[in-house]
Amino acid sequence: MRLILPCGCLQKDEDDEDQAHLHKPRDNKLYQQKLKPCCLLVITTQKVVTLFVLTGLIFLPIGITLLVQSTEIYQQDFEYTHCFTDPRIESIQCSKAAIGTTCFCKDIEITVPDTVKGEIMLLYGLNNYYQNHRLYRQSQSFLQLLGDVEGSCYVKEYCDPYNQDAEEVTYYPKGAIANSYFTDTFKIKRGFKDSKGEEIIPDFTDISWKSDRDSKFLLPANWKGWTPENGEYAMPKDWNIWTDNDKDAQNMNGTSYKILPSDIRDEHLINWMNPAAFPSFTKLYGKIKLDPGTYTLEVAYRYHVDAFHGEKFVRLAETSWMGGRSYFLGSAYCIVGFFCLVAAAFFVVISRQTRAKRHERKKKIDEQLVHYKDQNNNAHSSTL
């Protein structure tokens, strides 16, 4: 009997076969993963233990070396948030001095050990100061820093009220970051409590990134300075309270007490205009060469931080082949290396405890395979 089907059914079967043929991968070694030079990763206990042991043996010595090197790097912090003009008597506390006046913190002793041989970094630090706040970070004009005085902020409102002065002259540079420029200055003299001690002048060159000096902070073509007759350039709003003080400070104490930057390419301003990522940070103030001995640190206190419960400190830090002192990196290497060795030992113990069970399971599988082959052979011989 011949079965006759509708033409639609036959057409559908042919379409299905064509569709299946389209999705079928090509029959070659590349698509079928049969290439000779291939790597088939078979994870075994021996390979895993070896990998963890090698990682631990590499990381642990590196971590210990970094920790030992960090302990040998000289670093000393001097907190001066609530310092006095003269700590030996009931004197003025600089944090309570009037805004716009300079208060001098005196008689801060510095002892440089004999282990210090190279150049020392002089840094100032702030705690609880959120330069990483989104609105604060965006309160600057990158176009203006590149030389376009009238360059706008990313969003105009972010730079208010530090955008223009009362005469609608654009502040240069504009924004909250430049307006809140750090104005404390530091002086180091040889000897402790010695009024005739020699002043050690820091080196203020090459304290910022070269890429910033060459590409990011550029002077306008017609720059003449922040002068009253040059109405095109108005210095930031809160800088004006230090204009006269800046001239007096330079005349009395030399260049180490210069308060305001000379122009947009001033390296102290460049460092300040690069916001820190964390609320506790340090910024490089200068590089100084100090021989082992005792010195006196004098701080010109102008930058008030009590309003937001902040703290200020000075840091003297030595550098080495690994950079500055950092216990985090060495500790991280040691912790990773230690846990790798612990994991290797754990895998070895687990492997030994389950070895008997694995051998027994393998034995049963082999017996089942032999029994299955015997049954196939018997069935094949019976058919013959």
Side-chain angles (χ1 to χ4, degrees):
M1 180 177 179
R2 186 176 179 182
L3 182 62
I4 302 176
L5 296 176
C7 296
C9 296
L10 294 175
Q11 184 66 31
K12 185 176 179 181
D13 292 342
E14 292 176 359
D15 292 344
D16 292 342
E17 291 178 359
D18 294 341
Q19 193 71 16
H21 179 72
L22 289 176
H23 291 287
K24 184 178 180 181
R26 299 178 185 177
D27 188 14
N28 57 46
K29 292 184 178 181
L30 177 62
Y31 280 84
Q32 299 301 326
Q33 301 182 11
K34 295 180 180 179
L35 293 176
K36 293 288 182 68
C38 62
C39 177
L40 181 60
L41 182 61
V42 179
I43 300 177
T44 62
T45 304
Q46 183 179 0
K47 292 180 180 179
V48 172
V49 170
T50 302
L51 178 62
F52 275 89
V53 169
L54 288 177
T55 304
L57 293 179
I58 292 173
F59 274 53
L60 268 180
I62 294 176
I64 294 173
T65 303
L66 292 176
L67 287 177
V68 172
Q69 184 66 35
S70 292
T71 57
E72 296 176 355
I73 296 176
Y74 167 73
Q75 179 174 303
Q76 195 171 5
D77 292 348
F78 306 93
E79 203 272 340
Y80 68 94
T81 308
H82 305 289
C83 66
F84 291 88
T85 55
D86 191 342
R88 295 168 294 185
I89 59 176
E90 289 291 333
S91 57
I92 299 175
Q93 190 173 6
C94 287
S95 60
K96 297 180 180 179
I99 297 176
T101 60
T102 300
C103 179
F104 292 94
C105 303
K106 297 183 178 179
D107 295 345
I108 301 177
E109 183 180 6
I110 297 174
T111 302
V112 179
D114 296 334
T115 56
V116 176
K117 298 179 181 179
E119 203 171 39
I120 295 178
M121 303 293 113
L122 176 62
L123 307 101
Y124 63 88
L126 291 166
N127 291 329
N128 200 38
Y129 195 109
Y130 288 85
Q131 274 198 323
N132 57 351
H133 193 283
R134 182 178 64 86
L135 296 180
Y136 183 85
R137 289 180 63 93
Q138 295 181 346
S139 184
Q140 59 177 319
S141 172
F142 296 104
L143 294 176
Q144 197 182 47
L145 298 178
L146 291 172
D148 182 7
V149 179
E150 297 299 330
S152 61
C153 294
Y154 180 72
V155 177
K156 181 179 180 298
E157 290 74 14
Y158 288 168
C159 286
D160 291 337
Y162 310 111
N163 207 345
Q164 293 179 336
D165 62 6
E167 299 177 358
E168 296 187 355
V169 179
T170 302
Y171 288 126
Y172 180 70
K174 64 176 67 174
I177 300 180
N179 187 76
S180 60
Y181 175 69
F182 189 79
T183 51
D184 286 359
T185 52
F186 313 98
K187 177 192 289 186
I188 296 178
K189 297 193 299 183
R190 195 179 302 275
F192 183 54
K193 298 181 181 179
D194 185 4
S195 59
K196 299 181 180 179
E198 176 191 1
E199 181 181 356
I200 311 297
I201 304 297
D203 181 13
F204 299 129
T205 60
D206 296 333
I207 61 174
S208 61
W209 290 354
K210 187 177 185 300
S211 58
D212 285 349
R213 298 193 301 269
D214 296 342
S215 305
K216 185 177 177 181
F217 292 82
L218 305 177
L219 286 174
N222 57 342
W223 168 257
K224 298 178 182 178
W226 289 296
T227 55
E229 59 272 12
N230 186 13
E232 187 178 358
Y233 304 98
M235 64 174 51
K237 183 178 180 180
D238 290 343
W239 288 18
N240 293 315
I241 62 177
W242 300 112
T243 304
D244 296 332
N245 294 2
D246 192 22
K247 295 178 181 178
D248 296 338
Q250 293 185 55
N251 294 332
M252 293 173 57
N253 301 289
T255 56
S256 62
Y257 266 82
K258 183 172 67 69
I259 303 174
L260 299 176
S262 54
D263 54 51
I264 196 69
R265 291 175 56 82
D266 188 287
E267 297 195 50
H268 289 137
L269 178 62
I270 291 176
N271 287 340
W272 181 258
M273 292 291 288
N274 287 315
F278 299 99
S280 297
F281 60 87
T282 59
K283 292 183 181 291
L284 185 57
Y285 183 78
K287 297 175 288 187
I288 192 168
K289 175 65 176 177
L290 297 178
D291 298 325
T294 305
Y295 298 85
T296 300
L297 172 65
E298 184 176 312
V299 179
Y301 195 112
R302 305 182 186 91
Y303 203 80
H304 291 263
V305 295
D306 281 357
F308 53 89
H309 307 289
E311 295 179 345
K312 302 188 295 182
F313 61 92
V314 178
R315 173 174 295 173
L316 292 176
E318 190 182 19
T319 58
S320 68
W321 57 268
M322 59 163 286
R325 177 187 290 183
S326 174
Y327 292 110
F328 171 78
L329 190 61
S331 301
Y333 271 96
C334 288
I335 291 173
V336 172
F338 173 76
F339 277 104
C340 284
L341 294 179
V342 171
F346 174 77
F347 287 133
V348 170
V349 172
I350 294 298
S351 177
R352 289 187 177 277
Q353 288 181 350
T354 59
R355 178 179 296 178
K357 294 182 180 179
R358 285 188 283 111
H359 281 296
E360 183 178 354
R361 189 183 305 114
K362 186 176 182 300
K363 184 178 179 181
K364 289 183 178 180
I365 293 174
D366 292 341
E367 291 177 353
Q368 291 176 356
L369 289 175
V370 171
H371 181 67
Y372 178 74
K373 289 180 179 180
D374 292 341
Q375 286 182 341
N376 287 342
N377 292 334
N378 294 335
H380 182 68
S381 59
S382 62
T383 57
L384 293 176

